[in-house]
Amino acid sequence: MLKSMTGFGRAENTRGETTIVAEVKSLNGKQFDVNLKISPLLKPYEFDIRNQLQQALLRGTLDATVNVRQNGATRPVMINTELARFYHQSISTLATELNLPQEEMLNVLMKLPEVVTPATEQITEEEWKEVEKVLKAALAELDAHRQDEGQMMAADLLVRIDNIESYCVKVRELDPLRKDRVRLRLESLLAEHVGKENVDGNRLEQELIFYLEKLDISEELIRLENHCRYFKEILHEVDSAKGKKLGFVLQEIGREINTTGSKANDASIQQWVVLMKDELEKAKEQVLNVL
């Protein structure tokens, strides 16, 4: 099972005059990073909300919003009567001095700053349980999106690794021909510049063996095949968070591909190495978004 780091979840519930809305959007990220916006009523529970987000999503860059709002006339407010009296006294004095009417005094007072403010009540434990349910529903929807996208990513990654393995087979088939071409090229150069009759056959054979060993790519191909096999095994592991592990294996695959290309010294093999690198880069782009 593979999961993407990208997803979106939303859940809403209305009970009586109270509406709870939770929205969570997740993008790829190396660590867990959350931008959380919550209603003032939920401030005492901010730590709990952050913990639930991290336990459910593990990794990624998150934008999360959890709102609790009161609908209609039941929205709780407070009137600061002491502040209203202070405003009234000051405004009345000013109005008397300027000979201004005072009929709309109450309407003016109610619009002044801090006279009418939202009530600073806390939600009950029962209401918090409802908030948790809504948050879990949003996280479940996001997780479903992650799984759906993860399945498509896993299929694409398998194609990339299968292609690398098939290109590796092509390189194996070309390797003996490459060694023969190296031998013929060296013998031809010696015959041209030294003379065939002046070449020590035993010494030439020793030098050829030494030279071909330096160009040998059999170990690189074996390690490359092992890394590809291990990559597939990780894909089928039960653990859902394995993006970092897959990234490390791709680094090892890239190292063996690069070494094979540098040691091959053969145009036909280099063509397959280029195709391997192309598949590797596509796989790396996908793994960046794996949980």
Side-chain angles (χ1 to χ4, degrees):
M1 180 177 64
L2 201 68
K3 286 186 181 180
S4 166
M5 277 191 284
T6 302
F8 177 78
R10 186 183 190 278
E12 180 176 337
N13 184 35
T14 300
R15 292 186 62 183
E17 298 296 336
T18 302
T19 299
I20 304 169
V21 181
E23 291 186 356
V24 187
K25 181 176 68 174
S26 173
L27 299 174
N28 63 329
K30 291 183 178 180
Q31 306 297 330
F32 178 78
D33 184 23
V34 59
N35 176 27
L36 178 61
K37 298 177 183 178
I38 58 176
S39 299
L41 290 173
L42 295 174
K43 281 295 181 181
Y45 300 95
E46 180 176 355
F47 185 73
D48 297 308
I49 293 173
R50 288 183 179 273
N51 274 346
Q52 290 188 33
L53 290 171
Q54 185 164 17
Q55 290 173 8
L57 304 180
L58 300 176
R59 191 161 71 100
T61 301
L62 311 178
D63 283 319
T65 303
V66 186
N67 282 325
V68 178
R69 62 174 182 263
Q70 300 291 335
N71 305 314
T74 62
R75 181 181 181 184
V77 296
M78 292 181 63
I79 299 177
N80 192 332
T81 55
E82 292 298 324
L83 183 61
R85 288 192 183 98
F86 174 79
Y87 281 145
H88 180 266
Q89 183 179 3
S90 300
I91 294 173
S92 296
T93 302
L94 181 62
T96 301
E97 291 178 359
L98 298 177
N99 195 24
L100 297 174
Q102 301 185 32
E103 288 80 5
E104 299 295 327
M105 182 68 72
L106 181 60
N107 186 37
V108 172
L109 288 173
M110 298 301 287
K111 294 180 180 179
L112 290 174
E114 305 299 327
V115 173
V116 180
T117 59
T120 57
E121 298 176 356
Q122 293 184 355
I123 62 174
T124 64
E125 189 65 26
E126 182 181 352
E127 289 171 328
W128 166 241
K129 295 296 183 184
E130 292 299 320
V131 173
E132 283 188 309
K133 290 180 182 178
V134 173
L135 180 58
K136 288 179 180 178
L139 291 174
E141 182 177 325
L142 186 149
D143 190 62
H145 287 173
R146 280 184 160 189
Q147 290 187 34
D148 291 342
E149 187 172 337
Q151 289 180 355
M152 293 185 290
M153 294 170 62
D156 184 75
L157 286 169
L158 282 173
V159 170
R160 304 303 166 198
I161 299 302
D162 284 342
N163 288 342
I164 291 175
E165 287 180 321
S166 66
Y167 300 154
C168 186
V169 172
K170 297 293 184 181
V171 172
R172 280 193 179 280
E173 293 173 354
L174 291 171
D175 191 34
L177 301 177
R178 173 187 69 112
K179 292 178 180 179
D180 290 339
R181 283 196 294 269
V182 170
R183 178 187 293 272
L184 291 174
R185 186 164 65 248
L186 288 175
E187 290 177 348
S188 176
L189 287 171
L190 286 172
E192 179 181 350
H193 296 286
V194 179
K196 190 173 182 180
E197 64 283 355
N198 297 322
V199 176
D200 185 338
N202 293 329
R203 180 66 183 273
L204 174 62
E205 194 68 26
Q206 291 175 0
E207 293 296 331
L208 279 172
I209 292 173
F210 175 76
Y211 186 67
L212 290 174
E213 282 181 349
K214 290 182 64 177
L215 298 179
D216 184 56
I217 58 175
S218 58
E219 290 186 6
E220 283 75 16
L221 295 178
I222 290 173
R223 287 194 293 267
L224 177 57
E225 291 170 342
N226 288 337
H227 292 328
C228 288
R229 186 160 50 250
Y230 183 44
F231 188 93
K232 291 181 178 180
E233 291 174 1
I234 296 173
L235 278 181
H236 293 96
E237 288 178 357
V238 178
D239 184 17
S240 58
K242 45 197 171 188
K244 291 183 178 180
K245 189 187 295 186
L246 291 173
F248 293 147
V249 178
L250 286 181
Q251 288 179 9
E252 296 301 317
I253 290 175
R255 186 174 289 110
E256 301 305 332
I257 292 175
N258 289 332
T259 306
T260 299
S262 62
K263 291 176 68 175
N265 195 26
D266 185 85
S268 56
I269 289 180
Q270 286 288 0
Q271 292 177 359
W272 294 108
V273 169
V274 170
L275 292 176
M276 287 185 193
K277 290 182 177 181
D278 183 52
E279 296 295 330
L280 177 65
E281 289 304 312
K282 292 175 182 177
K284 285 182 176 179
E285 290 177 7
Q286 287 283 30
V287 167
L288 286 176
N289 201 33
V290 174
L291 180 64

